Structures are given as structure tokens and as C-alpha cells.
Amino acid sequence: MTERKELYGHPVGLYILFFTELWERFSYYGMRALLVLFLVASATSGNPGLGWDKADALSLYGTYTALVYIASIPGGLLADKFLGQKKAVMVGGWLLVVGHGILAIPALWAFYTGLALIVAGVGCLKPNISTMVGGLYAHNDDRRDKAFTIFYIGINIGALIAGVLVGSVAVTYGWHYGFGLAGIGMAIGQIVFLFGQKHLKGVGEATTNLPEEERSAVKRPLNNVEKDRMIVMFLSFFIMIVFWGAFEQAGGLMNLYADEKTNRVLSFINFEVPAPWFQSVNSFFIITLGSAVAAFWYKRKKKGKESSSIFKMAVGTIIMGWGFFFMSAASMQYQAAGSSAMYWLVLAYLFHTVGELSVSPVALSFITKLAPLKYASLMMGAYFAATGLGNYVSGWVGEYSQTAGELEIFTGIAIFCTIFGILVLLLLKKLKQLAHGAEDATDQSTAVPLKNTEQIETP
């Protein structure tokens, strides 16, 4: 692997990708924080929205966020077959700049056109920039998981700033000014990526530019180990669908709950907290707790205790699900008193964050460890597509809550996630066997012994 200039123990390229993704997520989460609130805002108010009913707004939110991530499959294929990850990230970034810019125009055609361009842009950028992070490290480099945690903190710095800044601009000056500010953030991200190219040489290249050894690996058929690893990756996607189907209530149902049923007044300073600000609570916890959660899992692994990626994802899903018990308590308080306290939302987001830190960065690293070189971006795209399906489930559940009741939905999500996580833990041994030691600190370019002592070469 090419020798790379390092900063704080990691390649400088990691920080280029860190800041590019930070501003991409600023643009995405800034718009996400506004979307449902803009859709349900009265068309005749001082800050006019589209005046939709809640069920339709939540349905569109689920469909849109699903498409954003499902588009990662064609985005991954485009990179694997033609452009390479680096050029695909560049194309996606410019599509996002234009898409967010068009959303600033107060017209219905601009709204749908902007959403379509953002779907295409995220589809090109998201899976490929994540794959590039893995490409900075050798297969046996134990810094890889830490790198994805650093990268993930960058994502959430962008989301934290977006919820406060874009939300404040939208509430004060108008929805479309908020959408426009999100586009400016994406433009900054593109500038960072352009000027950081020298630190990304040899990473994310088109297959025609790869060394001969890697081109041969791309062309040959999958061996048995690689096929088993593909199976365990696809099975892990079910965890992603369940996790994000519950977690993404944050931007839909919980966003509306904060706006309409939560007492957001800080009486000691006579200030009402804007509802979009709650979209930054999760990001704040990720930034402040990210290192602690990563250190917990690292120490657990050093002690020889179970700490595989699948184990972390199952435990994270359970913890995230328990966060909805706080929303159940908020719903009961609302039924009794006519409003609920802000601390219920904060506690819910705290549990959601700890769960997310045990699932999302771990899953990103997991895919880069298991995916064969010839399908590297495609499998990352499939991972994000599973995330997208989770978002669609989230929208459907949010829409269903308008008839089933929020208390029932929040409690049901908590119970389902707990049962699902336990089932995954029961299947853990078999799933680890299918991974064939991909998470062991060994060079995966060497032969890996299988149970029948047959040697199969792995990438």
C-alpha cells in the first residue's frame, strides 16, 4: 500500500474525507430538519409551507429518505464499473450543490426538482466516500474501525451545526433561506474535496487505473469464502432495516412531537427552543460520547470478550429501542397534562445515540472488511439501500401512528427492537462462521483456514 502522510496517527486523506462528508451531511441534515415541518406548515402563514396533512408529510418523508439511500446502489455500480469512487464523489457533490440551490426557489417545481437532484447526488457520493475511507488502510490495519469512528464524528458535527443554524435561519427568515444555506454548506464540502486530491492518490480509482494484481482480483469469480461473506453482509442488512426503521422517527414523528406536543419553553430565560434544534441533540451526543463508546468496545475486545461487529449491531439495536420507552413516558405525560417535558426527548435521543454508535460506524467498517474488491462500492451501496428501506419503514410507521396512536407506536417499537436484537444474538455464532475471520487482525491477502482445513485464497 502507498505510504501516506499522516496526521494524529491517520492518513491526511482521512481528514479530507472527514470535512467533505461533514459539509455534505450539513446540507442533508439541514434540509432533513426542515422537510416535514415545511410540508405541514400552513400555506397562508407568515412563513408559508405547503399545508399538507401529517400523514402525507410523513409518507413523503419516508419515501424521499428511502430513495436517497437506495440510490446508493446505482451510485456504487457507477463507481465500480466506470468512474471509480473518487470521480463518483465529485459528480455527486455537484449534483447536491445544484439540488439544494434549487430548493431555495419558492416554487413547487423547484421543490420536486431539488429533491430529485439530492437523491441522485447522495446516491453517487454517500457509498463511495465511505468506501474511500476503508481504502486508506490495509486490510490488517487495526486503525480502520477508529478511522470510521472519526469519520462518523465528522458526519455528526455537520448534522449538529445544521440543526441549529439551518433551523434558526428557516424559522427566522423563511424555509427557502434555510434550504439555500444547506446548499452553501455543500459547496464548501466540494471545495475541500477538490483541494484535497493530492492526499487521496491511489484511493477510489477507476478499475482501469488499478495495479495489475488488483485488476486480476476484480476480474476473477468469487471463491467460497467471499460468497459466505456476501451472505453474512446481506443478512446484516436486515439489522440495518430494523434499526433505521425505528431510529428515523427522529426526523418524522419525533420531529412533529417536538413541534406540537412538547413544552419547549425555558422559563428561566423566557425562551422557546425551536423544534428543529432537537435534530441536533443526537449529533451533540455522538460528538461527546463517540470516543467513550468506541473505547468501551475496544477495551472489551482487549479483554477477550465478545465484541464482533454483529454483536455490537444487535446490542446497539436493543439500546436504541429502549430509547422509545422514554417517548412512551412522554406520551403518557401529554395525555395527562396536555404537554410533555423536553427531557423525555433528550433521554430518548441519548439512548438512540449510544445505540447508533454501536451500529452505524461499526457497520461501515464491517462492509469494507467483508466486501470483495470487485463489489466494494456496490456492497456499500447495498448497505445504504438497506438504510433507505429502513427510512421507508420509518415513514410508514409514522403515517400509521396517526391512526394507531403515538403511545402504542413508541412502545411497540421498543418491544420489537428488543426482541429482534435478542434473536440476532442467538444466531451470532453461525453469522460469525460465515464471516470466516474477516475481523481478525490478520492480512486477508493470505490463505484463511476453513473448518474442513481446505485453504481458500481471500482478497
Side-chain angles (χ1 to χ4, degrees), residues 144-209:
R144 185 188 294 243
D145 281 4
K146 296 176 184 177
F148 274 102
T149 298
I150 293 170
F151 182 69
Y152 205 71
I153 288 173
I155 290 173
N156 285 279
I157 291 174
L160 172 65
I161 300 170
V164 175
L165 191 56
V166 175
S168 297
V169 168
V171 169
T172 306
Y173 300 103
W175 302 109
H176 296 284
Y177 285 97
F179 291 142
L181 180 58
I184 293 172
M186 187 60 241
I188 295 172
Q190 278 295 92
I191 293 170
V192 170
F193 191 69
L194 281 168
F195 282 92
Q197 292 296 296
K198 64 181 181 181
H199 298 294
L200 297 169
K201 290 181 179 178
V203 178
E205 303 292 350
T207 54
T208 53
N209 298 330

Side-chain angles (χ1 to χ4, degrees), residues 45-62:
S45 66
N47 187 8
L50 295 185
W52 289 17
D53 64 41
K54 295 177 191 175
D56 288 340
L58 291 169
S59 178
L60 178 70
Y61 171 81

Side-chain angles (χ1 to χ4, degrees), residues 357-380:
L357 286 167
S358 299
V359 173
S360 194
V362 171
L364 289 172
S365 181
F366 186 63
I367 298 302
T368 65
K369 292 173 185 174
L370 269 71
L373 181 62
K374 69 188 298 181
Y375 296 132
S377 292
L378 175 61
M379 292 311 297
M380 189 62 76

Side-chain angles (χ1 to χ4, degrees), residues 99-325:
H100 284 291
I102 289 177
L103 280 179
I105 301 172
L108 194 60
W109 69 265
F111 176 70
Y112 286 113
T113 302
L115 291 185
L117 288 171
I118 292 170
V119 167
V122 175
C124 285
L125 187 148
K126 189 68 177 165
N128 294 307
I129 197 168
S130 299
T131 304
M132 287 179 70
V133 173
L136 290 167
Y137 300 88
H139 283 294
N140 62 332
D141 194 329
D142 62 5
R143 296 178 299 169
R144 185 188 294 243
D145 281 4
K146 296 176 184 177
F148 274 102
T149 298
I150 293 170
F151 182 69
Y152 205 71
I153 288 173
I155 290 173
N156 285 279
I157 291 174
L160 172 65
I161 300 170
V164 175
L165 191 56
V166 175
S168 297
V169 168
V171 169
T172 306
Y173 300 103
W175 302 109
H176 296 284
Y177 285 97
F179 291 142
L181 180 58
I184 293 172
M186 187 60 241
I188 295 172
Q190 278 295 92
I191 293 170
V192 170
F193 191 69
L194 281 168
F195 282 92
Q197 292 296 296
K198 64 181 181 181
H199 298 294
L200 297 169
K201 290 181 179 178
V203 178
E205 303 292 350
T207 54
T208 53
N209 298 330
L210 291 174
E212 178 59 35
E213 182 181 352
E214 294 187 19
R215 285 204 303 271
S216 298
V218 168
K219 293 177 182 178
R220 66 169 174 76
L222 297 183
N223 59 41
N224 291 339
V225 169
E226 290 169 326
K227 290 176 182 178
D228 281 351
R229 289 174 176 171
M230 292 282 280
I231 291 172
V232 77
M233 278 189 287
F234 279 116
L235 292 174
S236 73
F237 294 158
F238 285 104
I239 303 175
M240 295 299 101
I241 293 171
V242 171
F243 182 88
W244 294 110
F247 182 92
E248 279 298 323
Q249 298 304 321
L253 184 57
M254 291 172 68
N255 204 3
L256 289 174
Y257 194 93
D259 185 47
E260 298 175 354
K261 297 183 178 181
T262 301
N263 179 2
R264 294 179 279 109
V265 177
L266 298 173
S267 56
F268 60 94
I269 56 173
N270 194 29
F271 174 73
E272 184 176 44
V273 179
W277 283 23
F278 284 93
Q279 296 301 297
S280 293
V281 174
N282 167 246
S283 300
F284 171 78
F285 281 137
I286 283 179
I287 294 165
T288 55
L289 298 177
S291 296
V293 173
F296 168 81
W297 287 115
Y298 180 77
K299 290 178 181 177
R300 182 180 172 87
K301 181 178 181 179
K302 287 297 183 182
K303 291 178 180 178
K305 296 181 179 180
E306 179 60 58
S307 57
S308 63
S309 295
I310 296 292
F311 179 79
K312 293 177 187 176
M313 286 188 264
V315 171
T317 301
I318 293 170
I319 294 172
M320 182 275 300
W322 288 351
F324 282 97
F325 284 127

